[in-house]
Amino acid sequence: MVNRGDIGSWMEGPPPSNGQQWPGQRLGRPESGPGSIARFGPRAAALLIDWLICSLASAAFFGYDSFATLYIFLAEQILLIGFFGYSIGHRFLRMQVQTLDGRPAGYLTAVIRSVLLCLVIPVFVIDADQRGLHDRARGTGLFRI
């Protein structure tokens, strides 16, 4: 019988490398709890929450235009992550976009990160710490709070 822990899951991202035992260890982050790297499941759920909220706004004001939905999503990401460090979905699931030293991201980082997030592909190019290109571009990560 095969144990799921033996084979892992594609949702866990690439395995840690260079003796790293968990994502974020080389960044000085704990394995679990506040300050640890947010895993794929909560990240995807937060994205879904944000997209649904933006879709409802698009349906209410723009006849559910796909570009309007994307622009609303982009504005939400830039404003909320720039000001608070988290979007509505992130906050609901207790996550925050932080610099590697633990500070909230800031507006320039939020703009760059959000544009890359809307391009979709950078999100799926992840490292052993489960940070996508959109996070690595500005030295940030999505951490549990």
Side-chain angles (χ1 to χ4, degrees), residues 65-139:
D65 178 58
S66 59
F67 284 111
T69 304
L70 183 63
Y71 294 142
I72 293 168
F73 178 78
L74 181 63
E76 180 226 13
Q77 293 291 306
I78 291 170
L79 293 173
L80 295 179
I81 290 174
F83 191 68
F84 299 113
Y86 47 77
S87 67
I88 295 168
H90 292 152
R91 183 64 183 152
F92 184 72
L93 294 169
R94 298 185 348 231
M95 297 181 288
Q96 185 179 37
V97 177
Q98 300 175 351
T99 61
L100 297 182
D101 61 1
R103 293 178 294 140
Y107 279 108
L108 178 60
T109 296
V111 169
I112 294 169
R113 186 182 186 278
S114 299
V115 168
L116 290 173
L117 178 66
C118 287
L119 293 175
V120 179
I121 292 177
V123 175
F124 292 108
V125 180
I126 59 175
D127 63 8
D129 293 312
Q130 297 184 356
R131 295 184 317 138
L133 287 177
H134 64 298
D135 280 324
R136 292 188 324 212
R138 291 295 294 170

